[in-house]
Amino acid sequence: QVQLVESGGGLVQTGGSLRLSCAASGSIVSIYNIGWYRQAPGKQRELVAAITRTGSRNYADSVRGRFTISSDNAKKMVYLQMNSLKPEDTAVYYCSIGLRNGVGSVGNYWGQGTQVTVSS
């Protein structure tokens, strides 16, 4: 069974930085795509950053230039470096990985989320 666990969230002042981590465990045969999403109170979940199957990185306009997504597939880790944080970045952040597991099933797996709060 594949599980994702996020960490690194917390309370930070405007202009500060946080680094989110997502640890994957379980049998993973192939990784197809990786993404960080966020959901603020009363809003829909939105894609923040992603690494596609070809390795290209995509960012939401609101975070481009401030956030950086990276991964270490050998360690089954995904990261989101967040700099110059703003109050509007406040949300629960989720990592998601599209993968094939050890029994051959393909699907998107999600972590439980980590809270990021940016104070003004």
Side-chain angles (χ1 to χ4, degrees), residues 14 28 31 37-38 41 45 56 65 73 81-82 95 102 105 108:
T14 295
I28 299 173
I31 291 177
Y37 293 74
R38 68 186 180 188
R45 189 173 297 188
S56 62
N73 288 2
Q81 178 66 43
M82 306 186 296
C95 73
S105 297
N108 285 313

Side-chain angles (χ1 to χ4, degrees), residues 23-102:
S25 62
S27 179
I28 299 173
V29 175
S30 301
I31 291 177
Y32 298 120
N33 52 72
I34 297 168
W36 282 98
Y37 293 74
R38 68 186 180 188
Q39 187 166 18
K43 294 187 177 181
Q44 289 188 333
R45 189 173 297 188
E46 62 173 351
L47 178 64
V48 174
I51 301 176
T52 68
R53 188 171 186 175
T54 60
S56 62
R57 286 159 169 75
N58 300 319
Y59 297 93
D61 290 343
S62 59
V63 307
R64 187 174 292 112
R66 300 188 296 122
F67 290 11
T68 302
I69 187 172
S70 61
S71 68
D72 184 335
N73 288 2
K75 295 182 179 179
K76 294 191 279 189
M77 294 292 297
V78 180
Y79 306 98
L80 185 68
Q81 178 66 43
M82 306 186 296
N83 299 328
S84 302
L85 283 161
K86 304 175 181 179
E88 50 264 44
D89 295 318
T90 295
V92 178
Y93 284 71
Y94 301 88
C95 73
S96 176
I97 301 178
L99 57 86
R100 180 184 298 276
N101 65 19

